[in-house]
Amino acid sequence: MRRANLFTMLSAYKPGGPATPFENYCTSALAYLLMRGHRMLRALFAQAAGAGSEPLADVEVQPRLGDAGMADLLLTYEGGKRAVVEVHLEASGPTAHLVAFEEVGKGWYVPPAFILLGLGLEPPPPPWRPLTWWEVVDALEDDPDPLAQEFAEFLLQDVLGQGPVPLEQALSTNRLYALGAAAIRRRFGAKARCVNSASPPMQGRYRYLGTTFSLGDGDPTFWIGIVNEQLPLSEHYHLMLASKERPLESPAPKPRAAGNWNWPYWTGLGRVVRPLTIEAYDELLRRIPT
């Protein structure tokens, strides 16, 4: 196994592949822990790969697989078994490019395993095997390494949307997006579709920051998140829900910071003065007529 430097790995990114910078950041952190030999984490991936007790020989982030382009992660075991790992952080990540990886794998001497690491809301297309971030967290739960514990905490809060989000973290991390998606899925189920959406930042401040979503497979017609209290932009935000088509319960005026955003229906919970929680989101989501 090659020697790994965490900071070099986290700063490395090859544009042009299917992975976003944030997805690659999470993949690189995961790869680092696999390289470091964390036993339960390695066992989790070995089981998914069908590698049994074979030792892990190499871990590659964003390897190029022939004409198929860059994969997110490639694991190679000492017996020759390889596993191509596709990493998703959102419920409906792209899958059309996976067929090209399967074609490349047909030419390998030892047939590879194909693993889709994601939220686990929908089964992946065969021959891809499902693995979830929840399982990664469970594998790291009793790991004595403080770095492994920090990564598990990061996954819970920044990817899986668990725990309260202070306003300063909402403005500077992925936690508000993760919280919004988790609240929407909890309220409306796995069929809800979420897209991170925010206005361009201006000196660290936003007009709005949150999640556009649909209740099924249709176009997204709802938005939930934080909206700046005034123009010029201030340090204060309100937690609000907007609807493009349906009137909402407990209506509120459209905020000035929404600008020319012409969605007519709004409701809110007032100024954000304490950490944002999934319960506060749910209180707003219940105002959508069903």
Side-chain angles (χ1 to χ4, degrees):
M1 182 73 65
R2 73 184 81 178
R3 183 178 179 275
N5 182 294
L6 174 61
F7 302 101
T8 299
M9 292 181 67
L10 292 178
S11 65
Y13 176 66
K14 300 174 186 175
T20 66
F22 185 60
E23 284 174 335
N24 191 67
Y25 180 91
C26 296
T27 303
S28 296
L30 173 66
Y32 178 79
L33 293 180
L34 286 167
M35 289 179 174
R36 286 273 297 267
H38 293 265
R39 184 174 60 86
M40 295 303 294
L41 187 63
R42 282 194 174 189
L44 175 68
F45 278 87
Q47 181 182 23
S53 59
E54 289 183 30
L56 185 60
D58 197 16
V59 179
E60 300 173 73
V61 179
Q62 286 194 299
R64 179 167 292 279
L65 302 185
D67 294 335
M70 288 184 290
D72 293 332
L73 187 65
L74 181 65
L75 309 180
T76 303
Y77 293 87
E78 288 189 0
K81 183 78 172 183
R82 285 187 279 187
V84 180
V85 183
E86 173 78 5
V87 176
H88 287 178
L89 298 180
E90 298 180 5
S92 54
T95 58
H97 62 286
L98 301 184
V99 175
F101 295 148
E102 297 165 25
E103 290 300 316
V104 170
K106 291 177 181 178
W108 292 352
Y109 179 72
V110 178
F114 297 99
I115 300 171
L116 198 155
L117 173 61
L119 300 177
L121 301 177
E122 296 178 348
W128 294 81
R129 304 172 185 177
L131 197 63
T132 72
W133 288 110
W134 290 105
E135 292 174 285
V136 172
V137 170
D138 288 343
L140 296 174
E141 183 178 13
D142 297 322
D143 197 303
D145 186 345
L147 185 62
Q149 292 300 309
E150 289 184 12
F151 184 55
E153 180 183 351
F154 165 80
L155 291 177
L156 284 170
Q157 296 181 336
D158 290 64
V159 174
L160 298 171
Q162 305 300 297
V165 181
L167 181 59
E168 63 271 17
Q169 292 181 0
L171 296 171
S172 59
T173 72
N174 198 65
R175 291 184 178 181
L176 185 74
Y177 294 137
L179 175 66
I184 292 162
R185 289 194 298 268
R186 188 176 84 162
R187 184 69 183 168
F188 299 110
K191 292 295 184 181
R193 292 291 179 261
C194 305
V195 178
N196 299 339
S197 55
S199 64
M202 291 181 284
Q203 297 183 343
R205 296 174 181 172
Y206 294 83
R207 285 175 174 262
Y208 57 87
L209 181 75
T211 307
T212 304
F213 65 99
S214 66
L215 305 187
D217 295 328
D219 293 334
T221 57
F222 298 97
W223 179 90
I224 191 169
I226 55 175
V227 182
N228 206 286
E229 186 174 81
Q230 64 188 47
L231 291 175
L233 298 180
S234 73
E235 297 179 355
H236 303 298
Y237 292 80
H238 286 223
L239 180 60
M240 302 197 75
L241 169 69
S243 171
K244 183 179 181 180
E245 299 172 352
R246 298 190 201 178
L248 302 170
E249 297 177 6
S250 303
K254 173 187 170 183
R256 289 183 59 209
N260 60 359
W261 193 3
N262 59 1
W263 287 17
Y265 306 110
W266 292 79
T267 186
L269 290 183
R271 179 184 286 184
V272 177
V273 295
R274 56 179 59 89
L276 296 150
T277 65
I278 201 167
E279 290 78 17
Y281 266 67
D282 192 62
E283 183 175 345
L284 280 181
L285 294 172
R286 288 200 302 268
R287 298 181 185 181
I288 298 175
T290 56

